[in-house]
């Protein structure tokens, strides 16, 4: 049975969807004022693996991922510069153009990582009505107050505010560098912010409270409710979302509907750089474009994220990525030589499933994969069948390789035949020269008892 670690209860719990057969899942999506970096991609890859694990367990899943296309403030609080305005200044485009361009880039990135598309990608700017309705309900239930710059959620009115992080209000206050201004409590957050007096924002909307824009926690509650209904099964995001964003989403759903919006809250740990934070200012913030420029396949990055459990930090280095790339190539090249899939290996399949069902233990699952691949006693047709099954979760695109020998161009084939002839005549100089010519074309020849075998030569 599938067990998942629930941040809310701090333990692994057996998972069954609320509606039998269909698991509803909401993953916090990208902010689209810039390219997503590979740290973000780790969070999205986790949501993808989790969803594939659910499917592997026979649950039909419905995955919703929001696209944050509305301007929000640089800080986690309600102060600071608007991120969208920063991008506008940088690129001289309209807010909608920027959001569109980076949404397209995001879709390209996730396709390259073999992340299955979500069922819906709702945009914050297209769900202003739902967000306003939610504020109105929270207001009717008595959880809001107004200040000169917006409508705020009064977190002191919720008995278990802070339950997700386990932080007490005093701890939160100490951790947050928020300016109180007119706020009643340090943890209170804006549901609606007013446009500055006399200034027109490019993205602003009329509302019963005044012209302005939604607070940045609101879209996820409003859109998960619209697409999945409360409560839904699983909400995912990176660990940085636990103390503020998700705490506030819970406050909103309780304030609006008296229920915690999700039953399971699951959080993936950070991808770190040299043990520390990734940031533009440190010059160590990479995107998938940088991965490709380094000569690595996006799927090597996917493989790298599988090597670590999602609840542990993963330290990114280029060497680690190259290591993942070599492992992936070995898997591909080995699988090419197998016989056509037939009768998988039940013992390995069981161990693979139980690794994944223990809170998505991908490193353990990968260890099972390699043990099977290297098991000389197992017929290759069985390995082929099981590996294809495993790849429904791993998502490494192995169907293009399993039992599919590499296609060798005519001229290379001719060189191989010539080399065989040279070897028959014990002409080792010619044989070596031909081997080098074949390698220059990007292929390796291996001499086996059954004759020579060709493989792709990886750098
Ligand atoms: P954002 O676009 O900033 O909202 O981030 C998108 C997702 O990436 C969120 O789930 C974040 O928690 C997550 N995230 C941000 N930085 C990192 C990082 N360095 N490693 C892993 N996940 C991250
Ligand atoms: Zn969110």
């Amino acid at each position: 049975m599938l067990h998942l670690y629930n941040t809310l209860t701090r333990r692994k719990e057996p998972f069954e969807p609320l509606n039998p057969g269909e698991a509803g899942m909401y993953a916090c999506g990208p902010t689209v004022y810039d390219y997503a970096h590979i740290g973000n991609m780790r969070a999205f890859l986790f949501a993808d693996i989790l969803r594939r694990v659910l499917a592997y367990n026979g649950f039909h899943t419905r995955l919703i991922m929001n696209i944050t296309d509305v301007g929000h403030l640089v800080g986690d609080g309600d102060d600071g510069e608007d991120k969208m305005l920063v991008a506008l200044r940088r690129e001289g485009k309209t807010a909608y153009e920027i959001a569109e361009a980076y949404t397209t880039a995001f879709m390209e990135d996730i396709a390259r990582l073999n992340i299955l598309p979500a069922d819906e990608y709702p945009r914050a700017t297209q769900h202003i009505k739902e967000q306003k309705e939610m504020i109105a309900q929270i207001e009717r239930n008595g959880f809001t107050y107004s200040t000169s710059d917006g409508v705020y959620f009064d977190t002191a009115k919720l008995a278990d505010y802070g339950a997700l992080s386990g932080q007490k209000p005093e701890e939160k206050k100490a951790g947050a560098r928020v300016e109180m201004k007119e706020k009643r409590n340090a943890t209170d957050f804006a549901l609606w912010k007013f446009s500055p007096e006399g200034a027109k924002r490019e993205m602003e909307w009329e509302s019963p409270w005044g012209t302005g824009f939604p607070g940045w926690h609101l879209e996820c509650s409003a859109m998960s409710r619209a697409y999945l209904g409360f409560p839904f099964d699983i909400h995912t995001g990176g660990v940085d979302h636990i103390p503020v964003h998700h705490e506030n989403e819970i406050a909103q759903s309780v304030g609006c509907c008296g229920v915690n919006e999700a039953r399971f809250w699951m959080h993936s740990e950070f991808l770190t750089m040299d043990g520390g934070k990734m940031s533009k200012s440190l010059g160590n913030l990479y995107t998938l474009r940088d991965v490709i420029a380094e000569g690595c396949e996006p799927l090597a990055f996917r493989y790298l994220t599988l090597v670590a459990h999602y609840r542990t930090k993963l330290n990114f280095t280029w060497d680690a990525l190259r290591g993942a790339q070599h492992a992936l190539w070995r898997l591909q090249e080995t699988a090419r030589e197998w016989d056509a899939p037939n009768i998988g290996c039940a013992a390995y399949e069981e161990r693979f499933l139980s690794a994944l069902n223990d809170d998505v233990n991908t490193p353990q699952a990968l260890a099972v994969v390699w043990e099977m691949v290297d098991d000389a006693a197992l017929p290759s047709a069985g390995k082929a069948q099981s590996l294809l099954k495993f790849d429904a979760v791993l998502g490494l695109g192995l169907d293009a390789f399993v039992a599919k020998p590499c296609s060798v161009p005519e001229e290379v084939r001719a060189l191989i035949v010539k080399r065989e002839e040279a070897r028959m005549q014990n002409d080792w100089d010619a044989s070596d020269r031909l081997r080098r010519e074949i390698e220059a074309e990007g292929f390796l020849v291996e001499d086996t008892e059954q004759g020579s075998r060709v493989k792709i030569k990886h750098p």
Side-chain angles (χ1 to χ4, degrees), residues 35-162:
Y35 292 114
H37 56 65
I38 55 176
N40 301 138
M41 286 305 163
R42 184 185 187 197
F44 303 132
L45 281 164
F46 166 64
D48 184 57
I49 296 288
L50 175 61
R51 179 218 206 161
R52 288 167 179 262
V53 168
L54 292 169
Y56 200 74
N57 277 277
F59 303 124
H60 179 250
T61 58
R62 179 162 161 75
L63 172 65
I64 309 298
M65 181 179 281
N66 63 305
I67 302 284
T68 301
D69 60 349
V70 70
H72 288 301
L73 308 174
V74 170
D76 235 8
D78 299 304
D79 300 300
E81 218 177 349
D82 184 306
K83 289 188 202 169
M84 186 65 94
L85 297 184
V86 174
L88 295 182
R89 250 199 329 269
R90 187 179 68 217
E91 303 189 19
K93 293 183 183 149
T94 70
Y96 289 95
E97 283 167 348
I98 289 189
E100 197 51 44
Y102 288 114
T103 302
T104 305
F106 173 73
M107 296 299 171
E108 284 167 11
D109 283 356
I110 61 171
R112 285 195 276 216
L113 287 168
N114 214 5
I115 290 177
L116 299 172
D119 293 284
E120 306 274 355
Y121 290 102
R123 267 80 163 163
T125 54
Q126 286 165 19
H127 295 82
I128 299 297
K129 182 170 155 279
E130 289 84 348
Q131 297 182 66
K132 289 195 288 196
E133 281 167 6
M134 189 168 257
I135 301 175
Q137 257 178 293
I138 297 172
E139 186 178 47
R140 276 199 297 280
N141 292 337
F143 289 99
T144 65
Y145 63 91
S146 291
T147 72
S148 57
D149 76 345
V151 179
Y152 282 80
F153 193 106
D154 188 345
T155 53
K157 291 202 170 152
L158 271 190
D160 8 326
Y161 183 79

Side-chain angles (χ1 to χ4, degrees), residues 28-32 36-44 68 83 216 236-241 246 268-272 277-278:
C28 281
T31 48
V32 286
H37 56 65
I38 55 176
N40 301 138
M41 286 305 163
R42 184 185 187 197
F44 303 132
T68 301
K83 289 188 202 169
W216 85 275
T236 70
V239 286
D240 56 323
H241 282 345
H246 288 170
S268 50
E269 253 295 353
F270 261 40
L271 184 79
T272 57
K277 201 175 150 60
M278 235 188 325

